[in-house]
Amino acid sequence: MKLSKIISYLEEKFPLNLSEEWDNVGLLVGRRDSKIEKILLSLDVTDKVIDEAIEVGANLIITHHPVIFKPLKAVTGDTTLGKKVLKLIENRIAVYSMHTNLDSAKSGLNDFLGETVLNFGKGKILEKSELNGREFGIGRIYKLDTPINIKKLSQNMKETLGLDCINVVTSDENLSIKKIALVSGAGSTYWRKAKKLGADILLTGDIKYHEAMDAKEENFSLMDIGHFESECIFVKHLKTIIEKEFKLEILHFNDGPVFQKM
């Protein structure tokens, strides 16, 4: 199977021009005419992920987070990124990344997280945009059939996402939630948009101190469900999408950060 055929299929469903301006998506390492026999899906490209690809014989890694974000001035063994790029090239492993274009697209990562994983039902786009008659955008907002207490929601998130603990910012510990906003990864900057659209709470990761203080002072609640925890489902979602079109062996291997309690 030629890599170009896989790319065409993915970009028809999740066009690159749906990505944010600061992002770097698409084919980042490799040749479009290369033959693909096995795919490894991963949230990130770490050294361990590359080693796993080598061990299992995968010649394509598809990731959510781009291995290259900023332009490179040099590719040498003097830097961690340089070493990774060299190892990929030396082992003829291509890397294709689907980041904010997958987040924003309909049937993308945010829809999968909210509808399938968290079972919130059908959501609406939080930060809506349109391109060639196609609606897309960061985040989703869900109106619940039955209100849920913020403590119960927190417990549900811990159980569903496998979290030992969860950070919540609220001015009302008994808040009854009727509408939930959701942004996978790091999306706390969208809390004002969520509040404007009538959400009672925003679920996201990497909530920053000053954003948390501002939200609390304006009586809006935030729940940190984790950056990795809200996006590691990428591998499951992509596996289903690719298997619908291609008969290829698809493996997955996430190498996320491990935060230890000390």
Side-chain angles (χ1 to χ4, degrees):
M1 175 74 62
K2 282 212 174 168
L3 176 55
S4 57
K5 190 171 182 179
I6 299 170
I7 290 175
S8 294
Y9 170 69
L10 292 175
E11 292 183 1
E12 182 179 347
K13 296 180 73 65
F14 309 107
L16 301 186
N17 56 8
L18 300 189
S19 64
E20 299 293 299
E21 290 183 3
W22 50 263
D23 205 2
N24 190 32
V25 296
L27 182 62
L28 304 184
V29 178
R31 298 179 182 275
R32 292 179 183 271
D33 61 355
S34 60
K35 185 179 179 182
I36 303 303
E37 297 174 346
K38 192 179 294 186
I39 299 173
L40 182 68
L41 303 176
S42 183
L43 188 62
D44 301 276
V45 178
T46 66
D47 201 49
K48 285 185 179 180
V49 170
I50 298 172
D51 286 342
E52 179 71 11
I54 295 170
E55 184 176 335
V56 301
N59 43 12
L60 170 62
I61 300 173
I62 300 180
T63 70
H64 187 48
H65 295 142
V67 65
I68 302 171
F69 258 119
K70 298 178 181 179
L72 296 175
K73 294 183 179 180
V75 180
T76 71
D78 297 331
T79 66
T80 299
L81 178 55
K83 288 176 183 176
K84 289 194 290 187
V85 173
L86 287 172
K87 186 186 283 191
L88 290 163
I89 293 171
E90 289 164 356
N91 287 278
R92 298 184 178 181
I93 299 172
V95 176
Y96 185 86
S97 296
M98 308 170 65
H99 195 207
T100 52
N101 58 318
L102 181 66
D103 289 333
S104 295
K106 288 189 175 181
S107 299
L109 195 61
N110 274 271
D111 283 331
F112 181 69
L113 175 62
E115 295 174 22
T116 305
V117 178
L118 302 180
N119 199 30
F120 287 153
K122 195 73 175 176
K124 294 183 178 180
I125 298 171
L126 181 64
E127 182 79 359
K128 189 184 294 186
S129 298
E130 186 174 320
L131 184 65
N132 299 326
R134 184 172 187 165
E135 287 189 346
F136 67 100
I138 295 293
R140 297 294 183 267
I141 191 163
Y142 303 89
K143 186 176 181 180
L144 304 181
D145 293 332
T146 305
I148 185 171
N149 179 272
I150 192 169
K151 292 179 181 178
K152 177 61 176 174
L153 177 64
S154 175
Q155 185 61 36
N156 289 351
M157 293 304 101
K158 285 192 286 185
E159 293 173 359
T160 304
L161 299 175
L163 297 164
D164 292 329
C165 61
I166 200 161
N167 290 324
V168 178
V169 178
T170 185
S171 56
D172 182 1
E173 294 184 0
N174 296 304
L175 178 68
S176 178
I177 297 166
K178 301 180 182 69
K179 190 178 284 190
I180 295 175
L182 173 70
V183 180
S184 63
S188 55
T189 57
Y190 291 94
W191 75 264
R192 287 186 175 85
K193 180 70 174 181
K195 184 176 187 243
K196 185 178 179 180
L197 293 178
D200 301 299
I201 192 168
L202 169 65
L203 277 56
T204 190
D206 293 347
I207 295 174
K208 297 180 180 179
Y209 176 85
H210 293 292
E211 289 166 351
M213 284 295 296
D214 290 345
K216 185 177 180 182
E217 288 203 316
E218 293 193 30
N219 297 315
F220 186 77
S221 299
L222 303 173
M223 186 175 291
D224 195 325
I225 59 173
H227 192 135
F228 176 80
E229 290 80 4
S230 66
E231 291 188 330
C232 62
I233 54 167
F234 164 84
V235 297
K236 182 179 180 181
H237 189 39
L238 257 290
K239 188 174 189 293
T240 302
I241 289 169
I242 297 171
E243 284 179 338
K244 285 181 180 179
E245 185 72 12
F246 304 110
K247 292 182 179 180
L248 288 167
E249 186 174 357
I250 304 170
L251 306 171
H252 58 83
F253 182 80
N254 277 328
D255 180 35
V258 178
F259 297 99
Q260 300 181 8
K261 294 180 179 179
M262 294 186 178

